Amino acid sequence: MIRVVLVDDQALFRAGIRMLVASQPDLEVVGEAGNGQEAIDVVRATRPDVVMMDIRMPVMDGLTATARILEESDPPRIVMLTTFDLDEAAARAIRQGASGFLLKDADPEFLLAAIRTVHSGSSVIAASATRDLFAHFAAPAQTPVPASYGDLTEREKEIFALAARGLSNAEIAAREFLSEATVKTHISRILTKLALRDRVQLVVFAFEHGLN
């Protein structure tokens, strides 16, 4: 069972998402909050797997709440909810460690798939959209490339570059004439060597070090 917390200042929106999530046998809403401060308290009390976090809320916004939740030990995956496809606040949240962002008007099936995808950690929501977001709002930083990047093999660097562009495992497999299973193994090794949680963080890493 995947445990979910919903954070949004609109009770009606939360009710709709709660009904959708509750209709699934593998998903469970274990808590709700109407602002960022409440979100921190609810997450501490319920220890969810995934948090769906609105960005703009009273008392404490989703950005501040996300940063504080991710400072906790063994934090949940956090998906930011936004009304804008290209949102600077979403870019900031992802840089802080959120696992992706989702449009509030996304199709119900996509939202459910997003929860499962982020929970699995095997892939990420809209890595290509994340890349577009950073390209729009975040100029590549001039920070030195960490030594850990040098630990990647030449093949892993090739896979890294394609993943940083937002390509899926299937797209990388077709381009490199590899099986999807092989690509998945390469991605897993890359994330481990670079101490990254998921592919969204890989995209962030590429932008921060000018490797995109």
Side-chain angles (χ1 to χ4, degrees), residues 79-195:
V79 179
M80 309 307 296
L81 298 170
T82 177
T83 54
F84 303 103
D85 195 8
L86 289 176
D87 190 326
E88 187 172 11
R92 288 171 55 199
I94 290 169
R95 190 180 289 278
Q96 289 173 348
S99 292
F101 72 96
L102 193 65
L103 293 176
K104 282 191 170 186
D105 61 357
D107 291 338
E109 288 303 316
F110 186 78
L111 185 144
L112 294 172
I115 293 174
R116 296 184 178 104
T117 298
V118 166
H119 176 255
S120 74
S122 60
S123 58
V124 93
I125 300 170
S128 58
T130 301
R131 184 183 183 281
D132 291 342
L133 190 72
F134 270 72
H136 192 79
F137 288 112
Q142 300 301 311
T143 54
V145 177
S148 58
Y149 180 75
D151 294 336
L152 301 184
T153 65
E154 288 306 310
R155 179 55 121 179
E156 287 169 348
K157 288 179 180 177
E158 292 174 5
I159 302 295
F160 171 92
L162 295 173
R165 288 169 49 192
L167 273 66
S168 67
N169 285 356
E171 291 169 331
I172 294 173
R175 188 182 181 111
E176 296 295 303
F177 304 104
L178 300 170
S179 69
E180 285 192 49
T182 299
V183 173
K184 185 175 180 180
T185 298
H186 279 305
I187 293 292
S188 178
R189 288 174 179 166
I190 292 166
L191 295 178
T192 298
K193 288 182 178 181
L194 300 181

Side-chain angles (χ1 to χ4, degrees), residues 16-85:
I17 301 300
R18 182 175 65 247
M19 290 176 61
L20 176 66
V21 172
S23 71
Q24 303 299 300
D26 61 330
L27 305 179
E28 176 187 16
V29 175
V30 296
E32 296 182 36
N35 62 63
Q37 183 57 60
E38 289 179 3
I40 294 171
D41 296 336
V42 170
V43 167
R44 285 174 177 167
T46 61
R47 308 301 298 175
D49 300 304
V50 178
V51 177
M52 309 298 285
M53 178 81 73
D54 189 19
I55 291 178
R56 293 166 180 81
M57 295 179 292
V59 183
M60 180 188 291
D61 63 36
L63 293 176
T64 305
T66 293
R68 294 189 183 179
I69 289 171
L70 291 174
E71 289 173 353
E72 305 268 332
S73 61
D74 193 23
R77 301 275 178 159
I78 300 179
V79 179
M80 309 307 296
L81 298 170
T82 177
T83 54
F84 303 103
D85 195 8

